[in-house]
Amino acid sequence: MARRWHRLPYPSTHSLGLGASVAAEPWTLFLDSCGRGGLRGRFDILLHRPRWRVWQEGEHVYLAEGDGTAQISAEPLIPTLRAIAREEQQRTSDLGDFPTPYPFAGGFAGFFSYDWGRRMLGIPGPDDPTLPTAALAWYDSALMVDHVSREAGFWGRSQDLPDWLEEPPASPLEPHCPGRGSAWRPRWSAAAYRRAFADVKAYLRAGDVYQLNLAQAFSGRWSASPWQLYSALRQRNPAPFAAFFSLPEASLLSLSPERLVSLRDGRLQARPIKGTRRRDPDPERDRALAAELCASPKDRAENVMIVDLLRNDLGRVAELGSVRVPELCALESFPAVHHLVSSIEARLRRDCDPWDVLLSCLPGGSVTGAPKRHAVELLQALEGQPRGFYCGSLGYVDARGRMDWNILIRSLSYRAGRVQYWGGGGIVMDSEVEAEYRESLDKVAFIAATLDGVEDLVAPATAGAERRAAEIAR
């Protein structure tokens, strides 16, 4: 039976209520724009019950059709994905009445970890044992919500239309989430961060790198379901590239504000974030912090370095002369922080496909440093543990060749009640250790506040990194 477009009423309780019904099923993926509207907050995509599952653990790539038993692929991951995509595109080539503006006409969706990207750069090291290094699935059908036109629809066969769509459940956005967590625990003390920072500065002075994105890991516990944790985090920090991905081993929860790369009608776009200030409850002080960020030579230099790196990444797969920077160091404000964001655009070469683009861009330059390969080598030694999902990428490549991928920052993994997440920032010669340490905490303050049951949406100002470190280590 052919797939077709089934129009649905716009959900009065937002798409989050629709996802609640299937969030516990393995391989359910919710790509959440958080209903911000505009170009980066228009569509939500809910995917579940895939036709193919593909994942990598160590050197082995596994694939399984439907609910079938997994087999080891004879090919590496990207050739395996390409082969399945070709087969599925031939099987379902007729897009019929699929409405063009909607973003996902069936295809692959999932994530690549940071460590998968590190491996592609030829840099050895351990992998996070709690998650695959990559996990993607081919989804024939999709539920999508358009927050601009205030419409919704299901793309798929009539027999696959979920029965609960006739009467969607209420959104689980309770004002007081029933889950409770433990106090957040940083892997590094403030003193340990300072030692790592000093090492970074030595590399910078020696000219080994121009920028290095140093990060530290945090851990905690959560007593309720991962979907309830996602709902609570989303209330505090809605973001345009948010996502929830339920895997058999664990769940990935992302409130990412950052796009790695998108592709539509042959046009590529990357939107790196570099430069951060916390939000302040006082409007006047908040405006001052935003103005300070915009005027900061250090933050602008940090952003421009990564723009140059990403121009090179896209240039490897772009038509000659097509790479341009239409937006440089623009201010974007989110509930927890202000950011400087730039935009790099290019036109994809005819002999390249979306997978070539990902191979060129992973791991994202904004979360490694410049030059990228050597930065990743140094971070491997400095941080002392695999990053796993953190600073990887989650998104999709659909059957038409469109794609959109985030960078997995402001993100966490949930496994059997245990939560892990990271915070970090780019360090350049002008960076100061106390400010950088404080920034690594400010970026994940909304996660810590959610786990600790703190009600304030904006983290209060502190006298400095030492005081914040004392608060979180109590």
Short mmCIF file of all heavy atoms in Angstrom, two decimals, residues 66 80 104 115 133 136 153-154 164 186 233 244 285 298 312 324 334 401-402 418 470 473:
data_model
loop_
_atom_site.label_atom_id
_atom_site.label_comp_id
_atom_site.label_asym_id
_atom_site.label_seq_id
_atom_site.Cartn_x
_atom_site.Cartn_y
_atom_site.Cartn_z
N GLY A 66 13.23 -4.13 10.68
CA GLY A 66 12.07 -4.16 11.56
C GLY A 66 12.46 -4.57 12.96
O GLY A 66 13.39 -4.03 13.56
N THR A 80 27.07 1.23 4.47
CA THR A 80 25.86 0.49 4.86
C THR A 80 24.64 1.38 4.77
O THR A 80 23.59 0.99 4.24
CB THR A 80 26.01 -0.06 6.29
OG1 THR A 80 27.12 -0.97 6.34
CG2 THR A 80 24.74 -0.79 6.72
N PHE A 104 10.60 16.05 6.25
CA PHE A 104 11.06 14.67 6.30
C PHE A 104 10.10 13.75 5.54
O PHE A 104 9.02 13.45 6.02
CB PHE A 104 11.18 14.22 7.77
CG PHE A 104 11.83 12.88 7.95
CD1 PHE A 104 13.21 12.74 7.88
CD2 PHE A 104 11.06 11.74 8.18
CE1 PHE A 104 13.81 11.51 8.06
CE2 PHE A 104 11.66 10.50 8.35
CZ PHE A 104 13.03 10.38 8.29
N ASP A 115 32.93 10.55 19.43
CA ASP A 115 34.00 9.57 19.27
C ASP A 115 33.94 8.89 17.91
O ASP A 115 34.98 8.45 17.40
CB ASP A 115 33.94 8.54 20.41
CG ASP A 115 34.21 9.18 21.76
OD1 ASP A 115 35.20 9.92 21.88
OD2 ASP A 115 33.41 8.97 22.69
N THR A 133 28.48 4.08 19.25
CA THR A 133 29.16 5.27 18.73
C THR A 133 28.32 5.96 17.66
O THR A 133 28.53 7.14 17.36
CB THR A 133 30.54 4.91 18.16
OG1 THR A 133 30.40 3.86 17.20
CG2 THR A 133 31.49 4.48 19.26
N LEU A 136 21.39 4.93 13.88
CA LEU A 136 20.46 5.55 12.94
C LEU A 136 19.41 4.53 12.53
O LEU A 136 19.64 3.33 12.59
CB LEU A 136 21.18 6.07 11.69
CG LEU A 136 22.24 7.15 11.94
CD1 LEU A 136 23.63 6.53 11.94
CD2 LEU A 136 22.14 8.27 10.92
N GLY A 153 0.31 16.71 10.16
CA GLY A 153 -0.02 15.61 9.27
C GLY A 153 0.82 14.39 9.55
O GLY A 153 1.85 14.45 10.25
N PHE A 154 0.36 13.27 9.01
CA PHE A 154 1.08 12.00 9.13
C PHE A 154 1.41 11.52 7.73
O PHE A 154 0.52 11.41 6.87
CB PHE A 154 0.22 10.97 9.87
CG PHE A 154 0.85 9.61 9.97
CD1 PHE A 154 1.81 9.34 10.94
CD2 PHE A 154 0.50 8.60 9.08
CE1 PHE A 154 2.40 8.08 11.03
CE2 PHE A 154 1.08 7.34 9.16
CZ PHE A 154 2.04 7.08 10.14
N TRP A 164 -3.87 6.49 18.53
CA TRP A 164 -3.98 7.55 19.53
C TRP A 164 -3.98 8.95 18.92
O TRP A 164 -4.22 9.93 19.62
CB TRP A 164 -2.88 7.44 20.59
CG TRP A 164 -1.49 7.23 20.07
CD1 TRP A 164 -0.82 6.06 19.98
CD2 TRP A 164 -0.59 8.23 19.57
NE1 TRP A 164 0.44 6.24 19.46
CE2 TRP A 164 0.61 7.57 19.21
CE3 TRP A 164 -0.66 9.60 19.40
CZ2 TRP A 164 1.71 8.24 18.68
CZ3 TRP A 164 0.42 10.28 18.87
CH2 TRP A 164 1.59 9.61 18.51
N PRO A 186 30.48 17.53 39.29
CA PRO A 186 31.47 17.68 38.22
C PRO A 186 32.58 16.66 38.37
O PRO A 186 32.97 16.30 39.49
CB PRO A 186 32.01 19.10 38.44
CG PRO A 186 31.83 19.35 39.90
CD PRO A 186 30.59 18.59 40.31
N LEU A 233 13.27 19.76 31.40
CA LEU A 233 14.38 20.54 30.84
C LEU A 233 13.88 21.48 29.74
O LEU A 233 14.33 22.62 29.63
CB LEU A 233 15.43 19.59 30.27
CG LEU A 233 16.23 18.77 31.27
CD1 LEU A 233 17.01 17.68 30.55
CD2 LEU A 233 17.18 19.66 32.07
N PHE A 244 14.67 14.18 21.52
CA PHE A 244 14.62 13.07 22.46
C PHE A 244 14.73 11.78 21.66
O PHE A 244 13.97 11.57 20.71
CB PHE A 244 13.30 13.09 23.24
CG PHE A 244 13.11 11.93 24.19
CD1 PHE A 244 13.53 12.03 25.50
CD2 PHE A 244 12.52 10.74 23.75
CE1 PHE A 244 13.38 10.97 26.38
CE2 PHE A 244 12.36 9.68 24.62
CZ PHE A 244 12.79 9.79 25.94
N ARG A 285 20.52 44.52 33.76
CA ARG A 285 21.77 43.78 33.83
C ARG A 285 21.84 42.77 32.69
O ARG A 285 22.92 42.54 32.11
CB ARG A 285 21.87 43.06 35.18
CG ARG A 285 23.08 42.16 35.36
CD ARG A 285 24.36 42.92 35.27
NE ARG A 285 25.52 42.05 35.37
CZ ARG A 285 26.72 42.34 34.89
NH1 ARG A 285 26.92 43.48 34.25
NH2 ARG A 285 27.72 41.50 35.05
N LYS A 298 37.58 39.21 22.46
CA LYS A 298 37.93 37.80 22.67
C LYS A 298 36.86 36.88 22.12
O LYS A 298 37.15 35.91 21.40
CB LYS A 298 38.15 37.55 24.16
CG LYS A 298 38.40 36.10 24.54
CD LYS A 298 37.13 35.44 25.06
CE LYS A 298 37.33 33.99 25.44
NZ LYS A 298 36.07 33.31 25.78
N ASN A 312 36.33 25.98 5.67
CA ASN A 312 37.19 24.95 5.10
C ASN A 312 36.47 23.61 5.05
O ASN A 312 36.56 22.88 4.04
CB ASN A 312 38.46 24.83 5.95
CG ASN A 312 39.43 23.81 5.40
OD1 ASN A 312 39.95 23.98 4.30
ND2 ASN A 312 39.67 22.75 6.14
N ARG A 324 30.13 31.31 1.47
CA ARG A 324 30.01 32.70 1.90
C ARG A 324 29.54 32.76 3.35
O ARG A 324 29.03 31.77 3.89
CB ARG A 324 29.06 33.49 1.00
CG ARG A 324 27.63 33.00 1.02
CD ARG A 324 26.79 33.66 -0.07
NE ARG A 324 25.38 33.36 0.11
CZ ARG A 324 24.52 34.16 0.74
NH1 ARG A 324 24.93 35.33 1.25
NH2 ARG A 324 23.25 33.82 0.87
N PHE A 334 18.77 32.97 24.50
CA PHE A 334 17.99 31.82 24.93
C PHE A 334 17.65 31.99 26.41
O PHE A 334 18.19 32.88 27.07
CB PHE A 334 18.78 30.53 24.67
CG PHE A 334 19.09 30.30 23.22
CD1 PHE A 334 20.24 30.85 22.65
CD2 PHE A 334 18.24 29.57 22.42
CE1 PHE A 334 20.51 30.67 21.30
CE2 PHE A 334 18.50 29.38 21.07
CZ PHE A 334 19.64 29.92 20.51
N GLY A 401 17.19 13.69 -0.01
CA GLY A 401 18.53 14.24 0.15
C GLY A 401 18.59 15.47 1.03
O GLY A 401 19.65 16.07 1.20
N ARG A 402 17.46 15.88 1.60
CA ARG A 402 17.48 16.98 2.57
C ARG A 402 18.02 16.47 3.90
O ARG A 402 17.81 15.31 4.26
CB ARG A 402 16.07 17.54 2.78
CG ARG A 402 15.51 18.27 1.58
CD ARG A 402 14.18 18.92 1.94
NE ARG A 402 13.61 19.61 0.80
CZ ARG A 402 12.47 20.32 0.85
NH1 ARG A 402 11.81 20.41 1.99
NH2 ARG A 402 12.01 20.92 -0.23
N ARG A 418 20.72 7.06 35.89
CA ARG A 418 21.95 7.84 35.95
C ARG A 418 22.02 8.80 34.76
O ARG A 418 21.75 8.42 33.62
CB ARG A 418 23.17 6.92 35.94
CG ARG A 418 24.50 7.65 36.05
CD ARG A 418 25.66 6.67 36.15
NE ARG A 418 26.95 7.35 36.15
CZ ARG A 418 27.49 7.92 37.21
NH1 ARG A 418 26.84 7.90 38.37
NH2 ARG A 418 28.67 8.52 37.14
N ALA A 470 31.83 25.60 44.90
CA ALA A 470 31.49 25.19 46.26
C ALA A 470 30.03 24.80 46.36
O ALA A 470 29.67 23.84 47.04
CB ALA A 470 31.79 26.33 47.23
N ALA A 473 29.49 21.31 44.76
CA ALA A 473 30.21 20.20 45.39
C ALA A 473 29.75 19.92 46.80
O ALA A 473 30.31 19.10 47.49
CB ALA A 473 31.70 20.51 45.40
#
